[in-house]
């Protein structure tokens, strides 16, 4: 197989999704599967849908268009405020979009009327992350304006956490969002169908067992793809962390690379001067992924990266030019690698067995407690 590549285990994505969906169902919360980190890959989207996701959520219209071109017909929500230049395509591709600007909503309404349809609007509320959102005091006025526009329908409100400012969702913030949903209904009349509490960072709150109030939707990507809590980086109980593996090829080895003839240079060395280690160069770099977001097997140490090279120190004597090395990725590394034009994807277990309820086999990355 060619390198670099990403090996994708769709069984594990189905399992992660199914596990989370089942735990949230008892809390009255549905899952919107976020596919932006995988560039709207249709096979991965289908794995999430098979796992029980209620619909898909995308930040980029190009990804949503890719999903539609692949024959996916489920509801797709655009979770980034639409660009004015794309409102016509947004209406034709996505049933609903998250919005913060009245001018954009008006343009969506006009586009929907031209297309003889009604586009759903979810208003995003600023609750501390400082990325996007309408201030809570202004949501009622905005909602009233939306309700009065032909071509659009107010479907709900939502909030975002732990993206820009690292502000974690709390019980108090979820309670405040629920109260705001009630206030909007009381002011505008229409029932608020969706109250989206946030993203994968909300799972610790959602799993606590306390009252969820009006929150009935979470937009989840990282947790289902990588099995981790975005805030702590810790594994979520029962989920796989190795559904994605980045494979890179060794293009240079040098057992003596750490030795310097000049004593002044010796003080600068990064790799220990020992015959037990050698330097490796892998054919992958900053242009391909977030090098700081990669992790590797014990016995290998990250030294640095350039645009085209990853430099490691290794104790594995079997690695030589032409060898392949497997690397795990965090969310940032995955997102960039999936978008890199020179990295191919290799899908495994693309077809779910009929009535499959779990992942076959075992994994050292699967927690049992």
């Amino acid at each position: 197989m060619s390198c670099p590549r990403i090996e994708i285990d769709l069984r594990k994505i189905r399992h992660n999704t199914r596990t989370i969906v089942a735990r949230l169902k008892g809390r009255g919360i549905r899952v919107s599967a976020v596919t932006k980190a995988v560039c709207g890959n249709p096979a991965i989207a289908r794995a999430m849908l098979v796992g029980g996701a209620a619909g898909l959520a995308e930040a980029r219209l190009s990804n949503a268009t890719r999903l539609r071109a692949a024959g996916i017909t489920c509801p797709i929500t655009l979770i980034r405020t639409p660009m004015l230049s794309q409102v016509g395509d947004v209406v034709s591709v996505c049933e609903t979009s998250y919005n913060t600007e009245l001018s954009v909503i008006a343009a969506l309404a006009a586009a929907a009327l031209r297309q003889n349809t009604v586009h759903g609007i979810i208003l995003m509320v600023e609750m501390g992350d400082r990325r996007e959102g309408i201030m809570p005091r202004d949501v009622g006025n905005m909602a009233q304006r939306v309700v009065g526009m032909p071509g659009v329908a107010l479907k709900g409100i939502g909030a975002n956490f732990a993206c820009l400012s690292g502000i974690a969702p709390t019980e108090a913030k979820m309670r405040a969002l629920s109260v705001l949903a009630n206030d909007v209904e009381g002011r505008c009349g229409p029932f608020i169908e969706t109250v989206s509490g946030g993203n994968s960072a909300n799972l610790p709150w959602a799993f606590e067992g306390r009252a969820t109030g009006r929150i009935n939707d979470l937009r989840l990507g990282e947790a289902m793809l990588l099995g981790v809590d975005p805030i702590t980086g810790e594994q979520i109980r029962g989920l796989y962390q190795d559904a994605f593996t980045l494979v890179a090829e060794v293009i240079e080895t040098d057992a003596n690379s750490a030795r310097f003839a000049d004593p002044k240079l010796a003080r600068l060395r990064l790799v220990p001067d020992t015959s037990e280690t050698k330097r490796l160069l892998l054919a992958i770099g900053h242009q391909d992924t977030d090098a700081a977001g990669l992790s590797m097997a014990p016995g290998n140490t990250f030294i640095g990266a350039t645009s085209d090279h990853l430099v490691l120190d290794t104790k594995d004597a079997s690695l030589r030019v032409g060898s392949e090395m497997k690397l795990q990725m965090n969310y940032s590394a995955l997102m960039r690698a999936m978008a890199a034009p020179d990295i191919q994807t290799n899908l495994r277990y693309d077809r779910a067995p009929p009535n499959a309820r779990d992942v076959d086999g075992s994994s050292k990355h699967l927690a049992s407690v």
Side-chain angles (χ1 to χ4, degrees):
M1 292 186 182
S2 62
C3 281
R5 68 180 183 273
I6 302 173
E7 296 181 346
I8 305 170
D9 191 326
L10 296 173
R11 292 184 309 171
K12 293 179 179 178
I13 296 172
R14 290 192 291 264
H15 168 87
N16 285 358
T17 304
R18 188 177 296 116
T19 301
I20 291 175
V21 167
R23 293 181 68 180
L24 292 178
K25 184 177 181 180
R27 309 281 290 137
I29 298 174
R30 63 178 178 264
V31 171
S32 296
V34 179
T35 54
K36 64 178 181 179
V38 295
C39 300
N41 183 288
I44 297 172
R46 289 191 181 97
M48 291 169 146
L49 292 171
V50 170
L56 301 176
E58 254 300 336
R60 296 175 185 267
L61 183 61
S62 58
N63 292 342
T65 302
R66 179 186 183 188
L67 292 166
R68 292 297 190 217
I72 292 177
T73 59
C74 75
I76 299 179
T77 300
L78 189 68
I79 56 175
R80 183 173 70 179
T81 298
M83 289 184 262
L84 276 173
S85 58
Q86 294 182 334
V87 291
D89 290 332
V90 170
V91 170
S92 64
V93 173
C94 303
E95 286 80 0
T96 306
S97 60
Y98 283 68
N99 285 268
T100 60
E101 291 289 334
L102 195 60
S103 61
V104 174
I105 298 172
L108 289 167
L113 289 174
R114 289 193 297 270
Q115 296 181 35
N116 194 30
T117 188
V118 176
H119 184 71
I121 300 295
I122 296 179
L123 299 177
M124 285 296 282
V125 185
E126 164 54 47
M127 300 196 70
D129 190 58
R130 302 179 67 183
R131 189 183 73 175
E132 92 273 55
I134 307 158
M135 296 305 295
R137 64 177 178 271
D138 299 325
V139 173
N141 288 333
M142 178 81 83
Q144 283 185 313
R145 299 286 295 274
V146 173
V147 169
M149 285 186 192
V152 292
L154 180 64
K155 294 296 185 180
I157 63 173
N160 190 68
F161 299 93
C163 280
L164 180 63
S165 300
I167 301 298
T170 62
E171 183 181 6
K173 289 184 181 294
M174 295 298 99
R175 188 165 52 248
L177 188 61
S178 294
V179 170
L180 190 59
N182 293 334
D183 290 345
V184 169
E185 283 181 350
R187 187 165 179 172
C188 300
F191 173 69
I192 299 297
E193 298 177 8
T194 298
V195 183
S196 187
N199 52 40
S200 294
N202 287 67
L203 288 178
W205 161 80
F207 291 157
E208 276 182 351
R210 299 181 182 179
T212 55
R214 292 291 305 274
I215 310 302
N216 62 6
D217 176 83
L218 291 178
R219 312 176 302 276
L220 305 180
E222 185 169 358
M224 295 190 298
L225 298 172
L226 298 178
V228 298
D229 180 332
I231 296 179
T232 65
E234 296 178 356
Q235 181 179 11
I236 297 174
R237 177 175 58 88
L239 303 189
Y240 286 94
Q241 294 179 282
D242 58 350
F244 295 83
T245 301
L246 178 61
V247 182
E249 186 171 325
V250 177
I251 57 173
E252 180 182 319
T253 66
D254 188 351
N256 299 315
S257 62
R259 297 173 185 166
F260 297 91
D262 187 335
K264 293 180 180 179
L265 293 177
R267 290 197 297 269
L268 300 176
R269 68 190 179 205
L270 297 174
V271 183
D273 183 5
T274 169
S275 59
E276 296 180 356
T277 63
K278 61 181 177 182
R279 187 189 64 170
L280 296 181
L281 262 65
L282 302 182
I284 197 165
H286 291 308
Q287 191 167 336
D288 307 290
T289 188
D290 180 0
L294 301 176
S295 58
M296 56 213 70
N300 299 287
T301 304
F302 173 75
I303 301 302
T306 65
S307 58
D308 307 303
H309 300 81
L310 192 69
V311 185
L312 307 178
D313 173 30
T314 185
K315 295 182 179 180
D316 188 345
S318 68
L319 292 171
R320 54 181 59 87
V321 172
S323 296
E324 293 183 349
M325 176 173 282
K326 295 184 175 182
L327 306 163
Q328 297 304 130
M329 299 173 283
N330 68 7
Y331 193 66
S332 175
L334 172 66
M335 186 164 44
R336 288 175 57 179
M338 287 294 296
D342 294 326
I343 297 182
Q344 297 188 16
T345 56
N346 178 32
L347 299 170
R348 302 177 60 204
Y349 310 110
D350 198 0
R351 293 187 178 183
N355 301 318
R357 307 310 300 173
D358 206 345
V359 176
D360 299 329
S362 60
S363 170
K364 64 182 180 181
H365 298 280
L366 180 62
S368 59
V369 295

